[in-house]
Amino acid sequence: MSAAATQKHSAPFLPQITANSNRRRGSTQYSRMRQEKDAHQTASVSGHSAPILSKAETAQFRSSLKQNTCVEMLQEGYHRSFSELFCLLSSDQDRRAAAEPGSAVRLQTPLEEQRDKVETIRLHLSQSEEAERKGSWSTACEQRLFLGQYFSAPEDLWLSLHFYHSCTDREQGRHSRLSTEARACMAELYLQQGELEQARQQVELCIKQARDRSCVDSAGRPLRLRALQTLWRIYSRLADVQLDAADYSEALTLLHKGYSTAAESEDKQIEGEATYRLGLTYQRAGDHDTAKQFFNTCMQIYGTLQDADGLGKAYRAMAKCMESEGNVHETVQCLETLADISRSNGLQHTLADAYLCLGSIYYKTSRYRRACEFFLRGYEAACVLEDAALLQKAQVLVASARAHALIGKYNDDVESATPAALRRLLAWKESRVHQELDTDPADNTTTACS
């Protein structure tokens, strides 16, 4: 065997332990022991042993909210609730994926990341499933109705509709009070979204189910009357579509149905609005006699309610009918009544409108001085409102009426040629000359009434 091999074989297999290494190891062991002792002392002082996380607790940190919630529902045996929640989360993903980039839906936080909402759905779906197992269908519907009302934010309306539908679709609780209330809520949501036919279908089913006046919603309101009020709004919106297409016949048919519904709803405010809308539509269709009948009825309803705004718009519409028929005297009476109502109730905008309308009528009949008086009153009301557009309109009307009044007076004096008329003309001419001499050329501003 060579000397090199012998030297290699005789080398130590493990490194030699020196005093420094022993010191380091001792220091490390001491440090570890010291840490264990400190931890033991801390636990002794607090009275608790060091916490050890279980596998389930560890999963709470490692897994997503969606995974944890679904696993918890399965472990507790709520398999149908798990399936429904999982489908809702998947629907939210599909809805967001189908939305346009940058749209409101895309910008929303995903449902699976909103802990409060997911926990609320889990809790009440589980309680609903538990109630169904016990045959307590009323409680099951109550939990779903709660979820429908809970998701009231605009971005959550799809969830609200889902839970309302699930409440009404339950076979055993389909005709219960809670199911009827869910239909009323659904109809209002569909109306809010502009889905009028869906709203109409749900509210008509609600009316059929709520024939008993004792059937009330969670707030104590009779469900039948609530549904009738919603149905009137649906008829009104459907009529708007026909009016936009200038189909007055179909619009009037819908509005008459709405009027009957409003009268049945026992809500005088809605009945007054329905009457007013019928009058306006007959007015647009050119049937002023029928329009006036509805406006008269409308005035009676709003008078009983002491609704100054309603009375004001009814008188304004009646005056327009009178004007269209050429009844100047009756038009002026309506507008003066409108001005009195507006002034006594502090309705400055309606007051300004009434004065300007009165001024326009006198202007058209060449009574310019009288017109100027009412235009000035309208201008003063506009000043109180601080409405710039209305102020500008009133200023133009005042200036025009004042100019026509001056021209008319000048022409009358020229034509009469009496000594008094000639003296007025000479005085006016001299005053104009003095005005021109006294006026600063750089200052051409005048007031609205000059």
Side-chain angles (χ1 to χ4, degrees), residues 213 222 224-225 228-229 260-271:
R213 282 179 172 270
R224 179 176 174 79
L225 300 184
L228 286 169
Q229 292 165 8
S260 300
T261 303
E264 194 177 352
S265 73
E266 300 179 8
D267 188 326
K268 284 296 182 181
Q269 194 71 41
I270 288 180
E271 186 179 349

Side-chain angles (χ1 to χ4, degrees), residues 80 128-140 172-173:
R80 281 183 294 170
S128 177
E129 185 174 348
E130 183 69 27
E132 287 184 14
R133 289 174 186 171
K134 297 177 180 178
S136 179
W137 303 107
S138 176
T139 304
Q172 287 79 359

Side-chain angles (χ1 to χ4, degrees), residues 395-409:
Q395 285 174 336
V396 171
L397 292 172
V398 168
S400 179
R402 186 65 180 272
H404 277 83
L406 289 173
I407 292 171
K409 186 178 179 181

